[in-house]
Amino acid sequence: QVDRYLYHMRLSEDVLLDVMARFQAEMVKGLGRDTNPTATVKMLPSFVRSLPDGSEKGDFLAVDLGGSQFRAHQVKVSEDGKQSSQLESKFYPTPKEVIQGNGAELFDYVADCLLDFMETKNLKHKKLPLGFTFSFPCKQTKLEEGFLLAWTKHFRVRGVQDTDVVSSLRKALQKHKANIEVLSLVNDTVGTMMTCGYDDQRCEVGLIIGTGTNACYMEEMRHIDLVEGDEGRMCINTEWGAFGDDGGLDDLRTEFDRELDLGSLNPGKQLFEKMISSLYLGELVRLILLKMTKEGLLFNGKVSTALLTKGKIEMKHVSAMEKYKEGLSNTKEILTELNLFPSEEDCIAVQHVCTIVSFRSANLCAAALAAILTRLRENKKLLRMRTTVGIDGGLYKTHPQYAKRLHKVVRRLVPDCDVRFVLSVSGSGKGAAMVTAVAYRLAAQRKQIDAALAPFLLSQETLREVKNKMRTELEYGLKRETQASATVKMLPTYVCGTPDGTEKGKFLALDLGGTNFRVLLVKIRTGRRRSVRMYNKIFAIPLEIMQGTGEELFDHIVQCIADFLEYMGIKGARLPLGFTFSFPCRQASIDKGTLVGWTKGFKATDCEGEDVVDMLREAIRRRNEFDLDIVAVVNDTVGTMMTCGYEDPNCEIGLIAGTGSNVCYMEDMKNIEIVEGNKGKMCINTEWGGFGDNGCIDNIRTKYDEEVDEGSLNPGKQRYEKMTSGMYLGEIVRQILIDLTKQGLLFRGQISESLRKRGIFETKFLSQIESDRLALLQVRQILQQLGLDSTCDDSIIVKEVCGAVSKRAAQLCGAGLAAIVEKKRENQGVEHLQITVGVDGTLYKLHPHFSRVLRETVKELAPRCDVTFMLSEDGSGKGAALITAVAKRLHNVGQK
């Protein structure tokens, strides 16, 4: 009979899955800036950005306002190897005149109780941080500020709605001359999550099922439109009690729900809460029993005063009647006390009504919780997720069946989530202290991180100083008397022209400058169908050859050329060859290049001070299989400029921003004292990587730069390159991460074996980590590949470190380039210069922000130069062929 009567309260699994989907849709609505105003589930940002990590410590106060009692707490958090927290509390009543009076009286009362508590605990002499648990919906704009949206739970205090409750409490404390600093405002749900999170770091959901009901969880910042920024996570207080206030649950609400709502203090509001929370379940049972009695289905149709009196049946009665182990004795006793004199059948029926009402509450609660868990799992892109839900509230704690029912239904609705439920023992008060402790920890950590990264933040003034110093060093390199001691070597390349479009023929090109070596065949056509076609093959250079003897290195190169010529079927042809050799060379002519010193990890012996063209010719002779006409030895930077110059005659600067860092540009012959002749221009390979080797930029070098330099193959050399090039940026990041880990700011203070490995943090990881499209979850995955088990907070810090290192690199590179474009402008004697820079290199091409920061820096430091950046398509190989073609053309012109 009861089953038939309460048929609509029994919810099938399909219905619960539907409720789950509806709740998910409301969550999305609540998170969107445009849709939030019409969402019933308000999804309020709490500004709690981090869970406890166990390193919190200190003494904290907490106050807890939100129920029939007001509580003050002292929480001692210690980290002495075994994290622990002690809680001492005192309860104060919240009199009716206070909870239905005015705001000033309420906050005066809270301040009075707090001072009494401090006196009791002998704390008046201490200045303690306080966390304020305020269990009503608030709109927060920061952690220590919250504007009350609406009172719930029978509170009706005048003059508080739409005001900041923290500043009201601060005013009351100042009036009482209390030495207390209010640091955080916390909802009781958030407090519950934080309390459980201190003991179980997987806890990322908080749930209250008591007088009121609510849930909070850790949401990805990128999904929260209501708050600026997209890094990390923030706890969202769902305020789910209002779910259905727009009619979204009308098909599930029964006549009893409607009657209960009409008789409540806030008709039409908090409809979901009215179907779930203990404040209303007893009343719901009363309305059902009253109707059943009136219809003669109970108590022989006799309606007692108790059934007619609102609030007479409370949740404690419902809980007691559902203690099945005690049979019907509890039910009979309670009903008799209410003057209902039941028969055994009445007792069974009433017990059944209580079961259906409380079971429906657990079912609805489980559906909404399942929606949150599903969202968490999807945010993390996991097929299966382990997580913990922290729970508090009288209904969950005292009802004999509720917890078991809730757990069972949640697990049925989300089979792909392994959920652990943890009861919050000291609940929201301790939680508020935990939020404050975490805020305290984060503020201290922020200071330490800022201090570590401060030397990487370069002011405009500092960058201008770098530009001016670079200009001075360029001049030293060009002058005969200072060139020998100059750090920026300004090497003449004997490339005296850029392509004019008449170049044609077949050319070979070699490209040596990194761990790979390429051989290319380049066919250049002229006229209307002007084109450059290329065929190439890549060969690896093993480490033992990079660091073996010079003879072995050049024999390996010639072996690769032989393979390529055979592969292309041109072994007999004597083709002109351009040799891109991306290491500092002193040239005496276009086909003579003496190696000044190896860079980029090369260490082959008997090469420095030798002519690399001669070494290549010797190796070709040793093999005695083919002959080649080596016309030009070219730096990759020059190759890049020539490639772009073929497309744009305005291109007179080449920049490499990749494994290494370098620039070349067309300088007026009259300024190059170390070469005879004053007519025309010649390309100068600056070899600017050595800028600063004389100590002139030591003021901007950090301790991390020094560590990277000391651990490199060439300590004390190429200092500018070590601050700007891809070969070293990852290593700088690794040094910073080690330092921050030692300070306990990362990876729980544990330096993993992988983090100790030099070179483990490649520059490609910087590019990946800094990608705007990359969620922190993917950042964590990259760090896991490196053997670094990171939290969400760790990922944010790592991303910040990468950003600081790469931004500085781009700015320094921009400052150096600004010095060169300014010099070009002065050479031409123009007020405003238009020029193109040909660029190549993985850092420029692949890093998400490097190119933008570089361009912005040049614009700021050289405002009278309009600089176009042109990406070089296959710079160094094609460039070598073009230089060979230009050299052949100029040679032919000279002969004529």
Side-chain angles (χ1 to χ4, degrees):
Q1 217 171 14
V2 172
D3 276 351
R4 267 206 320 276
Y5 204 76
L6 296 180
Y7 173 74
H8 286 300
M9 281 196 168
R10 285 192 172 277
L11 306 176
S12 69
E13 193 159 320
D14 284 347
V15 169
L16 292 179
L17 287 167
D18 184 44
V19 171
M20 190 174 147
R22 291 185 215 181
F23 189 78
Q24 275 179 306
E26 279 300 305
M27 286 169 78
V28 172
K29 219 170 152 185
L31 288 170
R33 185 177 279 115
D34 300 333
T35 47
N36 175 276
T38 58
T40 55
V41 178
K42 283 296 172 204
M43 305 295 279
L44 303 171
S46 68
F47 291 83
V48 170
R49 294 171 186 268
S50 181
L51 294 162
D53 71 354
S55 68
E56 292 76 17
K57 52 180 180 282
D59 271 17
F60 302 91
L61 285 176
V63 292
D64 190 351
L65 179 68
S68 52
Q69 289 182 315
F70 165 74
R71 291 181 294 172
H73 313 270
Q74 180 193 4
V75 182
K76 289 182 180 181
V77 186
S78 59
E79 187 223 358
D80 47 4
K82 46 182 196 305
Q83 65 181 67
S84 64
S85 61
Q86 291 171 289
L87 176 78
E88 292 189 43
S89 310
K90 191 171 178 184
F91 289 78
Y92 297 89
T94 40
K96 195 170 181 183
E97 61 272 20
V98 170
I99 64 172
Q100 297 191 357
N102 68 44
E105 289 163 355
L106 170 70
F107 290 104
D108 275 347
Y109 178 71
V110 172
D112 272 338
C113 296
L114 248 175
L115 284 168
D116 172 75
F117 178 72
M118 288 181 79
E119 209 154 289
T120 313
K121 300 289 171 199
N122 195 23
L123 297 171
K124 273 204 152 175
H125 60 287
K126 284 186 170 184
K127 183 172 173 127
L128 292 175
L130 173 108
F132 182 18
T133 302
F134 186 74
S135 309
F136 305 94
C138 279
K139 184 181 179 183
Q140 285 188 251
T141 46
K142 45 190 175 191
L143 187 58
E144 71 284 9
E145 182 179 85
F147 296 84
L148 176 65
L149 294 175
W151 286 113
T152 54
K153 307 175 200 171
H154 299 324
F155 272 68
R156 286 287 167 280
V157 184
R158 297 183 301 281
V160 181
Q161 200 164 327
D162 299 322
T163 66
D164 174 21
V165 294
V166 173
S167 63
S168 301
L169 177 58
R170 278 179 179 148
K171 274 178 205 153
L173 289 167
Q174 278 161 3
K175 197 164 105 185
H176 288 70
K177 295 186 170 54
N179 194 14
I180 295 169
E181 185 185 7
V182 187
L183 279 190
S184 63
L185 176 72
V186 184
N187 179 283
D188 54 348
T189 326
V190 181
T192 296
M193 180 188 78
M194 293 299 270
T195 301
C196 297
Y198 184 68
D199 299 313
D200 179 344
Q201 287 180 0
R202 285 189 190 276
C203 182
E204 48 194 345
V205 181
L207 178 62
I208 300 276
I209 317 167
T211 319
T213 179
N214 193 13
C216 70
Y217 73 103
M218 295 300 286
E219 176 59 88
E220 302 283 327
M221 280 288 289
R222 69 183 190 278
H223 295 149
I224 310 171
D225 278 359
L226 310 168
V227 179
E228 288 304 310
D230 58 0
E231 295 298 347
R233 301 196 299 169
M234 183 182 285
C235 181
I236 289 289
N237 164 20
T238 65
E239 285 300 333
W240 77 7
F243 176 40
D245 286 7
D246 59 352
L249 292 175
D250 281 3
D251 55 328
L252 300 179
R253 291 173 72 228
T254 63
E255 57 180 301
F256 308 112
D257 293 308
R258 291 188 179 87
E259 195 178 336
L260 179 142
D261 178 43
L262 287 171
S264 70
L265 286 169
N266 54 349
K269 292 187 175 165
Q270 299 294 104
L271 297 182
F272 189 60
E273 182 167 85
K274 285 169 186 167
M275 295 165 87
I276 289 183
S277 80
S278 63
L279 189 63
Y280 300 99
L281 294 192
E283 182 61 9
L284 205 53
V285 168
R286 182 188 74 80
L287 292 171
I288 294 166
L289 298 185
L290 175 61
K291 187 169 183 193
M292 287 178 77
T293 307
K294 280 180 178 175
E295 292 184 12
L297 299 173
L298 285 173
F299 314 123
N300 293 322
K302 289 177 186 165
V303 178
S304 71
T305 319
L307 282 185
L308 292 167
T309 310
K310 187 177 169 184
K312 195 69 181 172
I313 296 179
E314 295 173 39
M315 192 63 221
K316 64 180 181 186
H317 299 131
V318 176
S319 294
M321 289 191 278
E322 281 196 75
K323 287 182 180 167
Y324 302 128
K325 283 180 184 166
E326 288 160 34
L328 297 172
S329 58
N330 271 349
T331 310
K332 192 174 179 75
E333 200 177 304
I334 289 161
L335 294 173
T336 306
E337 274 175 24
L338 295 169
N339 295 321
L340 288 167
F341 311 108
S343 65
E344 192 171 327
E345 285 77 13
D346 289 339
C347 289
I348 292 168
V350 169
Q351 197 177 59
H352 204 42
V353 168
C354 291
T355 300
I356 289 171
V357 167
S358 63
F359 215 129
R360 183 186 70 157
S361 162
N363 274 333
L364 288 171
C365 190
L369 180 57
I372 289 173
L373 292 169
T374 302
R375 183 166 179 88
L376 268 175
R377 185 180 61 75
E378 287 170 357
N379 278 353
K380 294 179 178 187
K381 295 183 169 58
L382 294 173
L383 293 173
R384 191 165 192 86
M385 175 181 77
R386 274 180 72 192
T387 192
T388 298
V389 176
I391 305 195
D392 204 353
L395 180 54
Y396 183 87
K397 284 178 178 175
T398 58
H399 189 285
Q401 316 293 329
Y402 200 96
K404 199 173 17 173
R405 288 171 187 164
L406 177 76
H407 300 176
K408 197 173 174 182
V409 180
V410 167
R411 286 178 179 134
R412 214 170 61 231
L413 294 177
V414 279
D416 40 17
C417 292
D418 300 319
V419 190
R420 179 175 181 236
F421 292 87
V422 173
L423 193 61
S424 167
V425 182
S426 40
S428 47
K430 179 177 167 185
M434 280 304 159
V435 171
T436 312
V438 169
Y440 230 60
R441 165 175 66 80
L442 291 178
Q445 286 180 349
R446 185 71 262 162
K447 265 188 195 155
Q448 287 172 278
I449 292 162
D450 286 349
L453 297 183
F456 289 87
L457 303 176
L458 305 179
S459 65
Q460 282 303 302
E461 197 182 323
T462 304
L463 290 170
R464 206 161 276 114
E465 201 182 299
V466 172
K467 178 187 94 166
N468 295 338
K469 285 176 178 175
M470 176 65 89
R471 177 63 189 267
T472 305
E473 295 292 315
L474 297 174
E475 302 289 359
Y476 281 164
L478 287 172
K479 290 196 167 40
R480 188 174 279 112
E481 67 271 18
T482 49
Q483 208 273 341
S485 60
T487 58
V488 178
K489 287 294 176 202
M490 304 297 279
L491 305 172
T493 64
Y494 295 86
V495 170
C496 297
T498 49
D500 69 357
T502 63
E503 293 76 18
K504 60 176 190 266
K506 280 185 190 175
F507 303 89
L508 270 183
L510 308 183
D511 183 2
L512 177 70
T515 49
N516 287 331
F517 165 66
R518 287 188 314 155
V519 187
L520 303 95
L521 174 65
V522 182
K523 294 179 181 177
I524 303 174
R525 286 172 69 164
T526 187
R528 281 218 326 261
R529 296 173 65 190
R530 199 177 88 138
S531 68
V532 178
R533 289 174 70 190
M534 291 190 295
Y535 309 87
N536 74 82
K537 206 165 182 197
I538 297 173
F539 300 90
I541 299 189
L543 188 67
E544 63 271 19
I545 284 178
M546 280 169 71
Q547 298 182 6
T549 68
E551 199 168 285
E552 286 167 347
L553 174 64
F554 281 92
D555 282 347
H556 179 73
I557 290 168
V558 172
Q559 169 71 57
C560 297
I561 297 171
D563 290 352
F564 179 74
L565 294 175
E566 200 157 299
Y567 171 73
M568 293 299 296
I570 51 171
K571 213 164 187 179
R574 190 174 189 272
L575 296 174
L577 178 135
F579 183 15
T580 301
F581 187 75
S582 309
F583 302 94
C585 281
R586 189 169 269 101
Q587 288 188 247
S589 66
I590 196 163
D591 64 347
K592 287 195 184 312
T594 304
L595 176 63
V596 174
W598 285 118
T599 55
K600 305 178 207 171
F602 275 72
K603 268 288 196 197
T605 58
D606 311 322
C607 294
E608 292 180 6
E610 297 294 327
D611 180 355
V612 293
V613 176
D614 283 347
M615 292 185 83
L616 180 60
R617 284 187 180 126
E618 280 298 320
I620 291 170
R621 263 201 293 277
R622 273 197 300 277
R623 190 168 180 94
N624 199 21
E625 270 184 32
F626 52 83
D627 196 14
L628 297 170
D629 174 17
I630 304 170
V631 173
V633 60
V634 183
N635 181 280
D636 55 348
T637 326
V638 184
T640 296
M641 180 187 78
M642 293 298 269
T643 303
C644 295
Y646 187 69
E647 309 293 334
D648 177 355
N650 219 15
C651 180
E652 291 203 338
I653 299 176
L655 166 69
I656 299 281
T659 313
S661 176
N662 195 14
V663 159
C664 72
Y665 72 102
M666 295 302 288
E667 178 58 271
D668 292 358
M669 283 289 286
K670 63 177 186 284
N671 296 331
I672 312 171
E673 292 185 6
I674 48 179
V675 176
E676 293 303 313
N678 281 330
K679 294 270 188 293
K681 295 178 183 177
M682 182 185 283
C683 180
I684 289 290
N685 164 20
T686 64
E687 285 299 333
W688 76 1
F691 173 48
D693 289 2
N694 59 358
C696 71
I697 53 170
D698 279 4
N699 61 316
I700 59 167
R701 288 176 82 227
T702 66
K703 60 178 181 179
Y704 310 112
D705 294 310
E706 284 160 14
E707 279 160 1
V708 169
D709 182 32
E710 280 162 23
S712 69
L713 288 169
N714 53 350
K717 292 183 179 170
Q718 299 295 100
R719 288 182 178 180
Y720 182 65
E721 181 168 77
K722 284 170 186 167
M723 296 164 88
T724 55
S725 81
M727 181 146 187
Y728 300 98
L729 298 191
E731 188 56 19
I732 298 171
V733 167
R734 188 182 74 89
Q735 292 294 345
I736 300 170
L737 298 187
I738 286 174
D739 188 31
L740 295 181
T741 308
K742 280 179 183 168
Q743 291 181 52
L745 303 171
L746 270 179
F747 312 130
R748 300 178 187 86
Q750 305 293 313
I751 299 178
S752 67
E753 274 313 303
S754 58
L755 197 55
R756 292 179 202 278
K757 283 182 198 155
R758 187 170 294 283
I760 183 87
F761 209 99
E762 294 170 46
T763 299
K764 69 175 182 188
F765 295 126
L766 264 80
S767 296
Q768 289 168 4
I769 285 168
E770 284 189 73
S771 167
D772 293 328
R773 296 189 307 279
L774 213 59
L776 282 176
L777 191 70
Q778 289 154 298
V779 175
R780 284 178 75 177
Q781 283 166 358
I782 292 166
L783 293 173
Q784 273 163 0
Q785 285 169 26
L786 294 169
L788 303 169
D789 184 21
S790 69
T791 63
C792 180
D793 294 342
D794 290 338
S795 302
I796 293 172
I797 296 168
V798 171
K799 195 165 183 175
E800 198 179 335
V801 169
C802 292
V805 170
S806 61
K807 185 179 181 181
R808 181 190 69 161
Q811 286 180 320
L812 285 175
C813 200
L817 194 56
I820 286 169
V821 295
E822 272 293 317
K823 184 170 191 340
K824 287 287 292 175
R825 186 183 66 77
E826 288 172 27
N827 282 356
Q828 290 185 25
V830 292
E831 191 57 35
H832 201 89
L833 175 73
Q834 280 212 320
I835 193 159
T836 299
V837 176
V839 196
D840 203 353
T842 46
L843 199 53
Y844 187 89
K845 284 178 174 175
L846 302 180
H847 190 281
H849 308 299
F850 188 93
S851 59
R852 173 183 52 80
V853 176
L854 171 70
R855 289 194 301 267
E856 285 169 2
T857 309
V858 173
K859 199 170 186 176
E860 279 161 11
L861 298 181
R864 290 192 283 172
C865 300
D866 183 6
V867 185
T868 303
F869 287 83
M870 184 179 189
L871 206 54
S872 162
E873 292 306 320
D874 196 65
S876 44
K878 184 175 167 182
L882 283 165
I883 290 167
T884 306
V886 171
K888 276 283 189 201
R889 169 172 63 79
L890 294 176
H891 178 69
N892 293 341
V893 169
Q895 276 188 333
K896 279 176 193 171

